[in-house]
Amino acid sequence: MYYTYVIRCIDDSLYTGITTDVKRRFGEHLAQNDKSAKYTRTHKAVKLEAVWQSKDRVCASKLEYQIKRLTKTHKECLIKNNDFSVLKDKVQADDYIRQQI
């Protein structure tokens, strides 16, 4: 199983990534060490905002790419309403299951 996730940083910016283990990966972002993303080393991660489960890495990567292309306003809409219509390219929304955090 692969997951696409969005993290809110201390400066209110949003970071998007994929992983097979959300808890472990979020801990790595919080640690701000060599296993964290370069972005979260300089923008402290504070909260896991959203997580979507995907059937495989390809689906998770496609969703990550789509989210990274969004404006912050559209990202906030996706997080709040799980509204896939804000994505620029069509994705099969039923390929992704929103996880409770």
Side-chain angles (χ1 to χ4, degrees):
M1 241 6 105
Y2 278 85
Y3 302 90
T4 306
Y5 60 91
V6 178
I7 292 174
R8 186 167 308 275
C9 297
I10 200 161
D11 62 353
D12 204 38
S13 62
L14 297 169
Y15 173 82
T16 305
I18 67 168
T19 187
T20 56
D21 184 339
V22 177
K23 186 177 179 179
R24 174 193 51 80
R25 188 67 182 126
F26 184 60
E28 290 171 352
H29 287 297
L30 291 175
Q32 292 185 292
N33 60 23
D34 60 330
K35 290 191 176 187
S36 65
K38 186 176 181 181
Y39 187 85
T40 58
R41 278 185 235 146
T42 57
H43 301 79
K44 183 175 172 47
V46 292
K47 182 181 179 190
L48 191 59
E49 286 287 346
V51 177
W52 292 272
Q53 179 182 323
S54 303
K55 62 183 176 180
D56 57 32
R57 184 182 179 99
V58 171
C59 284
S61 294
K62 283 180 182 178
L63 182 58
E64 176 192 30
Y65 175 74
Q66 289 297 314
I67 294 171
K68 286 184 173 189
R69 292 177 61 201
L70 296 175
T71 65
K72 184 163 189 286
T73 303
H74 285 122
K75 288 177 188 180
E76 296 286 4
C77 184
L78 178 63
I79 291 166
K80 183 177 178 185
N81 302 318
N82 202 43
D83 181 5
F84 281 80
S85 70
V86 299
L87 300 176
K88 296 183 187 314
D89 295 330
K90 298 290 183 212
V91 295
Q92 292 296 110
D94 54 346
D95 284 345
Y96 307 99
I97 301 169
R98 179 83 181 249
Q99 302 294 296
Q100 296 296 330
I101 304 173

